[in-house]
């Protein structure tokens, strides 16, 4: 499947599942993000930018999950 035409599963793998691989570059990236987050405690502008980046990542991941596992339609109430 081409990069521009990835399905929800491939997009989810790229944004979430790759975060949990036991590879040196993944651990290094996680360490860098942890250090950046720790430093943001002392830098309000960095804190806001990191919060926005985190919210964007969470929204993107939630969108992929919703595509992959859509919520069921509400059932009509009987009564």
């Amino acid at each position: 499947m081409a990069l521009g035409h990835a399905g929800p599963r491939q997009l989810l793998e790229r944004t979430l599942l790759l975060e949990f691989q036991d590879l040196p570059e993944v651990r290094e990236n996680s360490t860098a993000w942890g250090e950046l987050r720790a430093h943001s405690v002392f830098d309000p502008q960095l804190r806001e930018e990191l919060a926005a980046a985190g919210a964007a990542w969470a929204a993107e991941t939630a969108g992929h999950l919703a595509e992959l596992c859509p919520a069921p339609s509400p059932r009509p109430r009987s009564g």
Side-chain angles (χ1 to χ4, degrees):
M1 190 171 279
L3 190 61
H5 301 292
R9 172 72 184 199
Q10 289 78 22
L11 292 170
L12 185 62
E13 286 176 354
R14 247 186 281 158
T15 57
L16 180 62
L17 300 179
L18 293 177
E19 299 284 330
F20 299 105
Q21 293 184 22
D22 189 21
L23 299 171
E25 57 269 17
V26 173
R27 288 191 302 271
E28 184 178 321
N29 189 41
S30 287
T31 300
W33 272 102
E35 292 292 328
L36 190 59
R37 292 174 78 81
H39 180 71
S40 74
V41 170
F42 305 105
D43 186 335
Q45 182 178 354
L46 180 58
R47 191 177 325 133
E48 289 176 19
E49 291 173 9
L50 264 165
W57 182 85
E60 180 180 350
T61 302
H64 298 323
L65 284 170
E67 285 183 59
L68 203 58
C69 305
S73 300
R75 291 178 146 175
R77 291 185 178 203
S78 60

